[in-house]
Amino acid sequence: MAVDIVYETHATTTDNEAGLATGWRPGQLSGYGRRGARELGERRRGDGLAAVFCSDLARAVETVEIAFPQRQLPVHRDTRLRECDYGELTGHPVAELAALRARHLDEPFPGGQSYRQVVEQTRDFLRDLSAGWDGFRILVVAHSANRWALEHLLHGRPLADLVAAPFEWRPGWTFRLPSRWGTDRPPPARRQPGQPAGDHRRPRPGR
């Protein structure tokens, strides 16, 4: 068996429209983004989802709350699904960060994270997902860096290529997470300074 993952980015924010990199700031959906969140809910209605997992940052939470206003699905917020922390460059123009991303695959942004650290957080999340949700279809709502991590870990795409490619929105990506994925791998690295600890106790589906 496996976990079928449907991935969606959070809806458009005021920072997105202003061309600013939000990073670990909460972020707020724009009017256009709120419409997009409602469309996400319609798009995934009747999609056979068992649960929603989302970043704990406000823009992802708001997207899920608008998409599923009646809480038809259990929703789990997870700090491991946060966007990359840009540190001192948080709030700077996205174009400025885009020119620097390749430098920060392994070297953290000043006062922030590297993209490799996001990969390791995502790896830890996937281990729990594989162990607790085998045979289910779930929705993940997060950020660009998390999708790159999924592409890298589950499709084998080079992280450097993913980080360098221009962003192209589409209505969802799909991934298949094999049973017992990652159980033969060493445990994740110790949490980096400034990384949220969160509560990663594994939520399990009702049977």
Side-chain angles (χ1 to χ4, degrees):
M1 298 180 72
V3 183
D4 287 324
I5 300 173
V6 179
Y7 173 86
E8 297 255 10
T9 57
H10 65 78
T12 303
T13 67
T14 54
D15 276 355
N16 292 149
E17 293 181 345
L20 302 177
T22 315
W24 277 12
R25 287 182 180 175
Q28 181 178 24
L29 300 191
S30 66
Y32 177 79
R34 289 190 291 274
R35 291 194 296 274
R38 287 191 289 272
E39 290 171 3
L40 187 160
E42 289 296 324
R43 186 161 62 246
R44 297 302 170 190
R45 193 180 306 278
D47 205 24
L49 299 172
V52 179
F53 290 81
C54 70
S55 161
D56 69 327
L57 294 173
R59 57 195 184 275
V61 174
E62 186 180 4
T63 297
V64 170
E65 289 176 344
I66 293 173
F68 305 101
Q70 303 305 317
R71 304 285 291 201
Q72 306 101 317
L73 293 169
V75 175
H76 306 286
R77 304 179 188 181
D78 199 307
T79 59
R80 295 170 294 184
L81 293 173
R82 285 189 175 193
E83 176 61 280
C84 185
D85 180 5
Y86 304 129
E88 296 172 9
L89 294 178
T90 300
H92 284 229
V94 170
E96 180 181 338
L97 262 74
L100 299 174
R101 283 181 183 141
R103 302 182 190 177
H104 297 289
L105 292 179
D106 296 289
E107 177 185 344
F109 285 95
Q113 290 180 299
S114 70
Y115 287 108
R116 198 75 63 184
Q117 287 173 308
V118 178
V119 168
E120 291 309 310
Q121 289 173 195
T122 305
R123 190 194 304 277
D124 189 35
F125 167 75
L126 291 178
R127 283 197 191 101
D128 282 355
L129 199 65
S130 178
W133 292 82
D134 197 27
F136 289 87
R137 182 177 177 85
I138 61 97
L139 174 67
V140 172
V141 177
H143 313 271
S144 293
N146 313 104
R147 180 178 65 81
W148 297 337
L150 290 173
E151 294 272 8
H152 176 64
L153 292 169
L154 299 180
H155 291 170
R157 296 187 59 190
L159 187 59
D161 292 351
L162 292 162
V163 168
F167 174 76
E168 293 184 8
W169 182 88
R170 72 189 206 199
W173 289 257
T174 58
F175 302 89
R176 195 164 179 81
L177 178 65
S179 298
R180 297 182 59 80
W181 183 91
T183 56
D184 59 341
R185 296 173 180 270
R190 184 181 301 274
R191 183 168 59 92
Q192 299 296 321
Q195 181 180 339
D199 181 357
H200 302 325
R201 288 173 296 180
R202 185 184 307 144
R204 292 184 179 271
R207 294 279 185 175

